Every structure is written in structure tokens, then in C-alpha cells.
């Protein structure tokens, strides 16, 4: 069964860089695009960006200046870096596959990242 | 940026009733619209893609319709497990989500 698992620090200090990794199991990362999506506590969903397995990326224009998504096909992983974080970046961060007709058909369980000193 | 506006914000219904959820786009997204269901503490689940196609394993009571700027998710007869938050999402231009409709038990 295909699984996605987010990992990384649950607490990040303001102005620092948030770093998360998504490990994909039981399916090759090749041939798909892979996204990061976040959800502040009690709020809605926000798409952060996606990376194609070849390495090409597209980012949410509102976050583009602070976001970097990368892929490591040898490890079947992709990663998120979000710089200069503030309390507004506190959220559950999900990784997801842009699969069925380029919609998010597989999701990780999500990981809560809190920005606080 | 394409803005998706969902209505109503909250819908209170009883099991067995019919639910109709709406999603309106600020500009045409053609049929590039999906619906997701999210339960507390869980990741969203894809229900409908390309406006009217059910994803794998989704019961037939869920149906989607619409094109352009106006879309509808219909649940024909509510089961207890259907009470959740529903989001629409477009992929016509980048990716954006609606703000969600909470379907609660009356």
C-alpha cells in the first residue's frame, strides 16, 4: 500500500528555516509530481508548491520567495524548505501526490510545525 | 489567483437527507475541479475529480457536477460517516482550495 510520511522538527524559531521531508513507500517517485500543502490550526488548506520527479517546480506565488522544494529519487523522497518563518507559518504540513488527473490522490498523515521562540 | 468560494459555510442535516454543497470560482476553471472530504485529525481524501468523476472506492451517493465557474457536490442520502468538512480545489491555474463547508449533524 502506497504511503507518504512527513518528517522533521515540530518546533521552529521565528526567522529560521522550516525543513521537512516526505518519504514515499511502495511506489516510485518517478513519473509523478509531488506537492506540499499546509493547514493552519482550525483553518483551510493552502497549496505550497509541487515538484516533478525530474526536478522542475511550481510554487504558490504568495510563498514563492521563501519556498524551495527538492527531490531525491535515489531515496524516494522530496523535501520542503520554508525560510524566514513567522507564527503565521504554524500549521499541519502535508505531503501529497499529484496523481489521478493531477489531483491530490494520496496524502501523508501530516505533521504539525509550530513556529515559536 | 483563482479564488474558490464555498457555500454554505455550515450545513446542518440529518442522516438520510440529501446534501448539496456549492463551489464558485472567480474565473473559469473549465472542469478542472476536485472535491475532498476531511475528518478531524485526518488528511483530506479525494472524492471527485474533473468536476464529475468519482475517485477510486468512493460510494455512488457522492456525485459532482458543473463547469466553468459553478460547481456542486451532492450526497444523495447522508450516512453517519459523511459528516465532515468538504473542500473544493482547482488545478486550472496553479492550485487553490475553497475555504470549506462543514457538514454537521442536525
Amino acid at each position: 500500500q502506497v504511503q507518504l510520511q512527513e518528517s522533521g522538527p515540530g518546533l521552529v524559531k521565528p526567522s529560521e528555516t522550516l525543513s521537512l521531508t516526505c518519504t514515499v513507500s511502495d511506489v516510485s517517485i518517478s513519473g509523478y509530481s509531488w506537492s506540499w500543502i499546509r493547514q493552519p490550526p482550525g483553518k483551510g488548506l493552502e497549496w505550497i508548491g509541487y515538484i516533478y520527479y525530474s526536478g522542475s517546480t511550481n510554487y504558490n506565488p504568495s510563498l514563492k520567495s521563501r519556498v524551495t522544494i527538492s527531490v531525491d529519487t535515489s531515496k524516494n523522497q522530496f523535501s520542503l524548505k520554508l525560510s524566514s518563518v513567522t507564527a503565521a507559518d504554524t500549521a499541519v504540513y502535508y505531503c501529497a501526490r499529484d496523481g489521478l488527473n493531477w489531483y491530490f490522490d494520496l496524502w501523508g498523515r501530516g505533521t504539525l510545525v509550530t513556529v515559536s521562540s | 489567483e483563482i479564488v474558490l468560494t464555498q457555500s454554505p459555510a455550515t450545513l446542518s442535516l440529518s442522516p438520510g437527507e440529501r446534501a448539496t454543497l456549492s463551489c464558485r470560482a472567480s474565473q473559469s476553471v473549465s472542469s478542472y475541479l476536485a472535491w475532498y472530504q476531511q475528518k478531524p485529525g485526518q488528511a483530506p481524501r479525494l472524492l471527485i475529480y474533473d468536476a464529475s468523476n468519482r475517485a477510486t472506492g468512493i460510494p455512488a451517493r457522492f456525485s459532482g457536477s458543473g463547469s466553468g465557474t459553478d460547481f456542486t457536490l451532492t450526497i444523495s442520502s447522508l450516512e453517519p460517516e459523511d459528516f465532515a468538512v468538504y473542500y473544493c480545489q482547482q488545478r486550472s491555474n496553479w492550485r487553490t482550495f475553497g475555504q470549506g463547508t462543514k457538514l454537521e449533524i442536525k
Side-chain angles (χ1 to χ4, degrees):
Chain A
Q1 183 178 356
V2 180
Q3 290 187 339
L4 287 72
Q5 179 67 58
E6 304 90 351
S7 60
L11 181 64
V12 180
K13 290 182 169 54
S15 80
E16 295 189 344
T17 296
L18 178 160
S19 296
L20 295 173
T21 296
C22 182
T23 300
V24 182
S25 304
D26 295 329
V27 69
S28 173
I29 208 164
S30 298
Y32 293 100
S33 288
W34 303 85
S35 280
W36 288 97
I37 296 157
R38 69 181 183 179
Q39 185 171 36
K43 297 188 177 181
L45 300 161
E46 180 181 35
W47 172 71
I48 299 170
Y50 69 72
I51 188 164
Y52 196 48
Y53 74 96
S54 62
S56 62
T57 54
N58 269 307
Y59 301 139
N60 185 324
S62 69
L63 298 170
K64 186 175 183 177
S65 64
R66 299 194 292 131
V67 172
T68 302
I69 298 176
S70 58
V71 65
D72 186 336
T73 54
S74 68
K75 295 182 178 180
N76 231 38
Q77 295 176 334
F78 63 105
S79 298
L80 168 70
K81 290 188 186 298
L82 181 65
S83 64
S84 305
V85 297
T86 69
D89 295 310
T90 293
V92 174
Y93 285 76
Y94 294 101
C95 57
R97 185 177 76 172
D98 288 53
L100 182 59
N101 284 36
W102 296 82
Y103 297 99
F104 307 120
D105 65 342
L106 291 172
W107 295 67
R109 290 189 171 187
T111 187
L112 175 63
V113 179
T114 302
V115 178
S116 175
S117 55
Chain B
E1 175 187 340
I2 296 176
V3 176
L4 299 179
T5 302
Q6 293 185 238
S7 61
T10 303
L11 184 58
S12 300
L13 294 170
S14 300
E17 291 193 293
R18 182 184 186 90
T20 303
L21 288 67
S22 295
C23 177
R24 175 164 289 179
S26 59
Q27 63 190 78
S28 176
V29 298
S30 185
S31 294
Y32 298 132
L33 189 109
W35 291 92
Y36 298 83
Q37 177 193 68
Q38 187 178 34
K39 297 180 180 179
Q42 296 184 15
R45 177 176 69 146
L46 178 65
L47 300 175
I48 301 288
Y49 66 95
D50 285 345
S52 61
N53 298 291
R54 274 190 303 278
T56 303
I58 302 304
R61 64 181 182 273
F62 290 91
S63 63
S65 63
S67 66
T69 61
D70 290 301
F71 300 86
T72 301
L73 173 69
T74 301
I75 310 171
S76 59
S77 180
L78 285 165
E79 298 288 340
E81 63 267 27
D82 297 337
F83 292 91
V85 179
Y86 292 83
Y87 293 95
C88 56
Q89 176 248 322
Q90 65 82 23
R91 69 164 186 86
S92 175
N93 179 266
W94 308 112
R95 310 278 192 269
T96 53
F97 291 89
Q99 82 281 14
T101 289
K102 182 180 182 180
L103 178 56
E104 65 177 24
I105 299 176
K106 187 174 182 179

